[in-house]
Amino acid sequence: MTEYLVTVRSRREPDAPQHLFLLEGDLAAADIERLAAELLHDPVVQEASWCTLDALSDEGAAAGSLQPAAFVEVAYRPGVTDNEAESVRIGAARLGIGGLRTVKTLRRYALARPEDAAGLANDLIQATLSYAPGEGVAVRRSWYAHLLHPPSETAPRIARVPLNDADDEALLRISQQGVLALDLAEMQAVQRYFRREEREPTDGELETIAQTWSEHCSHKTFKGRVRYRTQHVELGMQHEHGQPDPALYPAYHLLQQDAEIDSLIKTFLMAATDRVVRPGPDRAHFTKLHAAFSIPRDSWVLSAFVDNAGIVAFTDEYEVSFKVETHNHPSALEPFGGANTGVGGVVRDVLGVSAQPIANTDVLCFGPLDLPADQLPPGVLHPRRIAAGVVAGVRDYGNKLGIPTVNGAVLYHPGYVANPLVYCGTVGLAPRGRHPRQVHPGDAVVVLGGRTGRDGIHGATFSSIELTHTTAEEVGSAVQIGDPITEKKLIDVILQARDLGLYSAITDCGAGGLSSAVGEMGADCGAAVELAEVPLKYAGLQPWEIWLSEAQERMVLAVPPERLPALLELCASEDVEATVIGRFTDTGRLLVTYRGAMVVDLDMHFLHEGRPQRHLDAVWASGQEQGARRQESADPAPTLGSLAACLLSLLAHPNIASKAPIVRTYDHEVGGRTVAKPLVGARCEGPGDAAVLQPLSTTRRGIAIGCGINPRYGLIDPYWMALACVDEALRNVVAVGGDPAQAAILDNFCWGDPRQPDRMAGLVRAAAGCYDAALAFGTPFISGKDSLNNEYRDAQGVRTPIPPTLLISALAIVPDVTAAVTMDLKEPGSHLYLVGTTRDELGGAHYDQRLTTSDQRDGHATAHGSSLAVGRSSVPHVDLDLAPKLMAAIHTAIKTGLVRACHDLSEGGLGVAAAEMAIAGELGLELDLDRAPRTVDVASDDVLLFSESPTRFLIEVRPADAAAFESALAGLPCARIGTVTAEPQLVVRGLGGAEVLRASVADLKAAWQGTAVV
């Protein structure tokens, strides 16, 4: 074996980082010459040189014009996925060079100052070598040898854990030291089981139980029994909205008193869908659902809560699926890899329902990008670095897979500094009824796709604990790097195998790895697996690591024996590795061996049903949700200049400002299905409300994809936040032409530690809000996910939770994509209508003039889970009687061609929505606030302009269609408040008739585009 170093330099930028390749194998000099010339560099812009490691010299490290004080080389640590290295191996094989055995890629940086090395690498996944000019030969040769030949691992060993005689303190210590994330009651249940078995557990058995019972996999908080209590807090303020109608807000009224709630998911989320798809006047609220949730045959909802993704009917022949996941903790430690594998994982969720992924969504929540370095908590990456890495990770995976990223959002808040949120979603398309779900004893257990390594171990349990200042050091193996090219080949194979009927069940190999995939597929029958058959990336993994690894790009299939040869032949033809690692059985046990030695032998019923139900306390201070009645202010009334300045400031707010620098890095056109895109308007610069896709070229029927999220409301009351998020998600899809009567939604809860009673109370209220909203709109939940324990704990034990955050994603049928509309103004002379009622609701609003907002304090929840905007009105309330009627009427108007442009009012209210429509259409607007539908307490121009009352739309209508449009909205709050003008000016007259705001569209656009968002 000979070892070589190939160095690639830029011709144009001699001081740019150099690209290094370490190559080892049975390679002649001619092989290296050919690899360097034909594969490893672009001769137009780069030059390459090579040498054997024995002939290494300092000359190869020379820089250009720079006189470096130091060199730094960066390489992936052993075991971390190196896609570029894998591509070199594949490329060499295609060139006919078969002797290449090992490839490592590095970057070399020449630094003017040694201290400039900070930030060049992430120590979690990368190793670095620093050396001075003229002193590097020996140390480099040793460094390269270490990378090519890492220390050998110990021989495989199956350990027994002394559990049966352990006391409670020892049980908790075993859980903590093993990153099992099991509490005392759960550890005691495990102990009782193995005492009955009359043996000690193996390391593999404890790990299997921990991942199966993890928060991530079992949703034990949402399935727990909650003791909800209210505590009266006298705020000395009145509630502006009165008490909501119990018939429209039943869950709200349930929580006005102490309550025992057995499973949030069954009581609120599944029950809401059950009542929507099987309505009936005699069906009582909050009845405990049977464990086997089912959908009526005549429902357009085809699958909810039981598959890897929710599924609804699209046409008589096709169905669409939708799933949104989170990858928060990994993204906090290694942003690129965390987001990268988040996208890959949710794509596999849709692949796990036998569907072709056709679109991605992403919603990202970061800390302020301008956070001073001295305010960064220990062990935490700076928000700017996290944001850049996450955006790059999303872009890398989606673009390489050829799946368009069509919808999303980016939010900034101090509460996300230590715990960024990364929501990744995928929409799928499949022929109806072609997704098999029945495992049969005797079916082969087949693993397809990527090989198994030490990456991602403890990912399921790691995501079930809070982050601390030492997390990166303790669970670095939980972080992974994705390989989208392998996943692309995997997708091609699965879709062909589906059409050929080659498998009887399928699931992705995600959290918990093979343990989760095989364990769940064989839950009703049993399974036997031989780990020595599992293809590995490298030698040295312990048996339990093979079983628990969350290495990416893997799927597990149950394959009938008679179809196995055809499947293996198909995989070989597509260059996808497929391996039989066991069989499904009828024993009711999970048996895992390594070269015949027992690694796991567990009763399936205990594994999946033996976890004790979690009991949680939730304490809410009643009155929090009331907010604060707006008090009289001694400040002078807003002036022409002040309102314009406020609007410009709002447009420049990072949450509202243009996200085009991010959006344009994503491919949203690939596949040719995207009808309404993320950016719309005359120059494709306006923020589209939702994406519209035409999944099939044979029909003009389409789907709209939108979302709703507002954590600022969650800091006040998560119940009203939930209603607002559902309302916003539905507003977005309705605004582009989606049918609210054929809309489905997904919930994704990101929360702090549910063991803290105030956090748990907020979670209960958010779930209750989801119930009331789903029933009122007639919109079923078809899928969901929770990510809890999003807290940071410092060395002193001080805990900082994220803001209570709920993402609602919506999918709605668009009857005819040619009738879809966008938000940009279309032509001068059109009428502009404000639909919906404006109320004095500035609690949690972005408008902060004479306002003390939560994110101006500390950005986090108070001890009671709330942070009130004292001195202003309450958090926005959704009128569940009016909102569904408004959306149905607007859909009818759009479907009949009466609407030229439609934009929902959200962050920044009317002022921001009008500015965005003008910016996108490059036209002006004249508005008269005195005509706006409003409640009697709205008595100032600033409230009318910047209130964030929900269920409101700005709609452009041709004068010729005005009468028909007004007829379609008859009896609903709707008023013509303005006119589209050719002159690019936004002019607003206030309640007294005087002009209160004037700004050029150019100035509005400059403010909106002027804030850096990456």
Side-chain angles (χ1 to χ4, degrees):
M1 294 290 176
T2 310
E3 300 167 341
Y4 298 89
L5 174 68
V6 178
T7 303
V8 178
R9 304 175 180 83
S10 170
R11 295 182 186 272
R12 297 176 179 175
E13 301 178 67
D15 297 327
Q18 297 173 1
H19 197 164
L20 310 182
F21 298 90
L22 286 175
L23 309 175
E24 181 210 40
D26 293 323
L27 300 167
D31 295 328
I32 298 299
E33 188 72 39
R34 190 178 177 202
L35 283 171
E38 299 183 30
L39 186 64
L40 301 183
H41 88 294
D42 181 347
V44 175
V45 295
Q46 295 173 318
E47 59 183 13
S49 61
W50 60 273
C51 66
T52 65
L53 292 192
D54 291 338
L56 192 67
S57 69
D58 281 325
E59 185 176 343
S65 59
L66 179 71
Q67 297 299 316
F71 292 101
V72 174
E73 295 186 9
V74 180
Y76 285 118
R77 293 186 181 277
V80 176
T81 299
D82 186 341
N83 291 321
E84 191 175 26
E86 181 63 24
S87 296
V88 171
R89 278 190 289 267
I90 294 171
R94 291 178 179 174
L95 288 174
I97 301 173
L100 182 61
R101 191 183 76 170
T102 307
V103 182
K104 296 292 182 182
T105 65
L106 304 86
R107 294 291 188 275
R108 177 190 288 143
Y109 299 87
L111 306 179
R113 301 175 304 169
E115 55 266 31
D116 292 341
L120 291 179
N122 184 342
D123 293 339
L124 191 62
I125 61 169
Q126 293 168 316
T128 60
L129 173 70
S130 301
Y131 54 91
E135 301 177 358
V137 173
V139 71
R140 286 167 60 207
R141 189 176 287 124
S142 175
W143 159 250
Y144 297 153
H146 174 80
L147 292 175
L148 289 169
H149 309 286
S152 59
E153 301 288 345
T154 58
R157 184 174 68 93
I158 301 169
R160 295 279 179 173
V161 181
L163 193 74
N164 290 344
D165 293 330
D167 59 19
D168 290 350
E169 183 179 349
L171 289 175
L172 287 176
R173 186 167 58 250
I174 291 170
S175 176
Q176 182 177 10
Q177 292 177 348
V179 197
L180 303 180
L182 297 177
D183 63 23
L184 181 58
E186 292 161 346
M187 289 296 293
Q188 289 171 336
V190 175
Q191 185 182 59
R192 288 192 296 271
Y193 173 80
F194 282 102
R195 283 175 174 172
R196 291 194 301 270
E197 294 278 303
E198 298 182 343
R199 62 182 178 87
E200 298 284 10
T202 66
D203 49 6
E205 287 173 325
L206 271 187
E207 295 284 354
T208 299
I209 294 168
Q211 72 79 17
T212 304
W213 292 5
S214 68
E215 189 74 76
H216 183 90
C217 294
S218 72
H219 311 291
K220 52 193 175 186
T221 292
F222 270 80
K223 293 178 180 177
R225 181 177 291 274
V226 183
R227 182 183 176 219
Y228 178 89
R229 290 172 291 155
T230 63
Q231 292 180 347
H232 180 70
V233 175
E234 182 59 54
L235 295 178
M237 302 171 188
Q238 297 177 349
H239 184 34
E240 296 182 76
H241 300 274
Q243 285 300 316
D245 183 353
L248 288 171
Y249 303 84
Y252 176 86
H253 281 269
L254 173 71
L255 300 183
Q256 294 303 103
Q257 55 192 353
D258 294 355
E260 289 278 341
I261 302 168
D262 186 3
S263 174
L264 294 181
I265 189 171
K266 290 182 179 181
T267 301
F268 294 130
L269 303 173
M270 293 176 70
T273 295
D274 183 67
R275 286 181 56 81
V276 168
V277 300
R278 289 190 287 196
D282 57 339
R283 309 199 60 208
H285 283 297
F286 315 122
T287 54
K288 183 174 175 61
L289 292 175
H290 190 274
F293 181 77
S294 62
I295 301 291
R297 288 183 176 273
D298 59 349
S299 173
W300 82 294
V301 176
L302 304 180
S303 176
F305 300 108
V306 295
D307 279 308
N308 286 22
I311 307 173
V312 297
F314 178 57
T315 66
D316 291 340
E317 296 81 25
Y318 283 86
E319 63 192 30
V320 290
S321 48
F322 197 10
K323 179 64 176 291
V324 178
E325 280 272 13
T326 54
H327 228 220
N328 303 334
H329 282 25
S331 299
L333 301 185
E334 207 304 289
F336 178 90
N340 200 245
T341 52
V343 175
V346 77
V347 167
R348 292 195 304 278
D349 277 329
V350 164
L351 198 60
V353 293
S354 304
Q356 176 189 2
I358 62 171
N360 285 341
T361 71
D362 65 281
V363 175
L364 315 174
C365 302
F366 305 125
L369 300 186
D370 57 356
L371 183 76
D374 60 2
Q375 295 183 21
L376 195 65
V380 173
L381 299 176
H382 193 278
R384 184 171 291 277
R385 185 172 177 184
I386 291 176
V390 165
V391 170
V394 171
R395 173 182 68 239
D396 177 82
Y397 215 99
N399 289 4
K400 287 180 178 176
L401 278 185
I403 300 175
T405 300
V406 299
N407 179 254
V410 184
L411 301 172
Y412 302 90
H413 192 282
Y416 300 123
V417 167
N419 286 271
L421 303 184
V422 177
Y423 299 91
C424 303
T426 298
V427 179
L429 175 71
R432 288 181 66 169
R434 298 293 291 275
H435 171 49
R437 298 177 172 89
Q438 188 61 52
V439 174
H440 303 284
D443 284 353
V445 180
V446 181
V447 60
L448 271 69
R451 291 195 157 211
T452 298
R454 195 172 278 110
D455 40 356
I457 290 174
H458 284 145
T461 52
F462 157 63
S463 66
S464 301
I465 58 177
E466 79 275 3
L467 299 180
T468 73
H469 62 293
T470 61
T471 297
E473 303 168 11
E474 297 167 353
V475 292
S477 62
V479 176
Q480 312 146 72
I481 302 294
D483 181 4
I485 304 306
T486 295
E487 185 138 318
K488 178 63 173 70
K489 295 189 294 182
L490 189 62
I491 292 171
D492 294 341
V493 161
I494 294 299
L495 297 180
Q496 293 179 69
R498 175 201 68 193
D499 293 340
L500 293 170
L502 298 183
Y503 58 87
S504 55
I506 182 174
T507 193
D508 78 304
C509 202
L514 293 170
S515 171
S516 175
V518 178
E520 290 178 6
M521 291 178 76
D524 294 330
C525 55
V529 171
E530 172 52 58
L531 293 177
E533 302 294 332
V534 177
L536 303 180
K537 295 180 180 180
Y538 38 81
L541 271 72
Q542 294 299 328
W544 75 266
E545 292 179 314
I546 299 172
W547 183 232
L548 270 293
S549 168
E550 296 180 13
Q552 296 290 294
E553 292 78 45
R554 298 179 300 163
M555 301 290 292
V556 176
L557 277 64
V559 182
E562 67 274 12
R563 300 175 194 169
L564 184 59
L567 176 71
L568 297 179
E569 181 180 355
L570 170 64
C571 292
S573 71
E574 294 285 355
D575 194 25
V576 171
E577 192 165 21
T579 308
V580 178
I581 63 170
R583 292 284 188 278
F584 289 101
T585 67
D586 61 0
T587 64
R589 295 189 74 85
L590 177 61
L591 178 64
V592 182
T593 57
Y594 183 83
R595 294 177 181 169
M598 190 271 286
V599 179
V600 176
D601 185 3
L602 292 171
D603 176 72
M604 283 290 196
H605 184 267
F606 168 74
L607 182 61
H608 295 286
E609 304 296 334
R611 177 182 57 77
Q613 187 179 29
R614 175 166 280 186
H615 289 254
L616 296 148
D617 285 320
V619 180
W620 182 259
S622 66
Q624 288 178 175
E625 78 283 1
Q626 306 297 332
R629 186 173 180 82
R630 185 169 183 242
Q631 298 174 333
E632 294 298 325
S633 172
D635 294 345
T639 65
L640 175 64
S642 67
L643 284 181
C646 286
L647 178 57
L648 293 173
S649 178
L650 283 169
L651 289 170
H653 191 289
N655 288 349
I656 296 173
S658 172
K659 305 305 185 298
I662 293 175
V663 173
R664 294 195 190 283
T665 69
Y666 303 149
D667 190 338
H668 47 265
E669 301 279 4
V670 62
R673 295 183 173 93
T674 315
V675 177
K677 302 164 178 58
L679 298 172
V680 300
R683 300 179 187 271
C684 295
E685 294 177 329
D689 289 300
V692 176
L693 303 176
Q694 185 180 7
L696 299 169
S697 61
T698 54
T699 175
R700 295 196 298 195
R701 192 172 174 86
I703 55 175
I705 306 295
C707 61
I709 183 170
N710 201 319
R712 296 162 69 103
Y713 297 171
L715 288 166
I716 301 174
D717 185 353
Y719 173 86
W720 294 109
M721 173 186 69
L723 265 66
C725 290
V726 173
D727 188 84
E728 182 184 14
L730 293 177
R731 287 199 314 268
N732 284 336
V733 295
V734 168
V736 297
D739 185 353
Q742 282 194 293
I745 52 179
L746 286 68
D747 62 86
N748 285 86
F749 296 84
C750 286
W751 232 257
D753 183 357
R755 293 165 297 184
Q756 306 300 314
D758 61 317
R759 286 26 152 211
M760 190 65 216
L763 193 60
V764 171
R765 294 185 68 81
C770 287
Y771 178 91
D772 284 349
L775 259 62
F777 286 106
T779 306
F781 285 98
I782 59 171
S783 181
K785 198 71 173 178
D786 57 88
S787 172
L788 308 180
N789 299 292
N790 288 283
E791 303 206 1
Y792 173 81
R793 178 166 48 85
D794 65 18
Q796 288 71 44
V798 177
R799 307 168 67 97
T800 304
I802 64 166
T805 308
L806 170 65
L807 170 67
I808 297 292
S809 304
L811 181 153
I813 298 297
V814 178
D816 183 351
V817 296
T818 64
V821 298
T822 54
M823 52 74 69
D824 48 304
L825 297 176
K826 301 300 191 298
E827 58 184 312
S830 293
H831 297 329
L832 193 73
Y833 287 84
L834 176 59
V835 178
T837 303
T838 301
R839 295 183 292 270
D840 190 350
E841 295 177 315
L842 285 165
H846 281 71
Y847 175 58
D848 60 4
Q849 184 184 26
R850 296 172 295 143
L851 174 64
T852 304
T853 60
S854 56
D855 61 355
Q856 288 176 312
R857 294 191 188 101
D858 58 7
H860 307 301
T862 67
H864 297 291
S866 169
S867 186
L868 294 172
V870 177
R872 297 300 274 187
S873 51
S874 66
V875 66
H877 286 44
V878 178
D879 185 337
L880 292 181
D881 180 42
L882 176 63
K885 299 173 185 175
L886 269 177
M887 293 193 191
I890 290 174
H891 174 66
T892 299
I894 292 175
K895 185 170 62 173
T896 52
L898 300 177
V899 174
R900 291 285 281 149
C902 184
H903 194 21
D904 87 304
L905 275 62
S906 54
E907 290 90 347
L910 170 62
V912 166
E916 289 175 339
M917 294 181 78
I919 291 168
E922 296 188 335
L923 295 170
L925 276 174
E926 292 183 356
L927 304 180
D928 185 350
L929 298 182
D930 203 32
R931 299 179 180 179
R934 61 188 186 275
T935 54
V936 295
D937 58 337
V938 177
S940 65
D941 297 326
D942 62 332
V943 173
L944 270 171
L945 274 173
F946 304 126
S947 170
E948 295 183 7
S949 293
T951 331
R952 294 184 299 158
F953 301 81
L954 275 179
I955 298 178
E956 178 188 357
V957 178
R958 291 188 183 95
D961 295 326
F965 177 79
E966 291 173 10
S967 177
L969 274 291
L972 300 171
C974 172
R976 190 174 76 193
I977 67 164
T979 304
V980 181
T981 63
E983 183 181 6
Q985 294 270 341
L986 176 61
V987 180
V988 180
R989 290 189 299 276
L991 293 177
E995 184 176 302
V996 296
L997 187 153
R998 178 180 290 269
S1000 71
V1001 172
D1003 287 344
L1004 298 175
K1005 182 176 179 180
W1008 186 65
Q1009 293 183 336
T1011 300
V1013 292
V1014 289

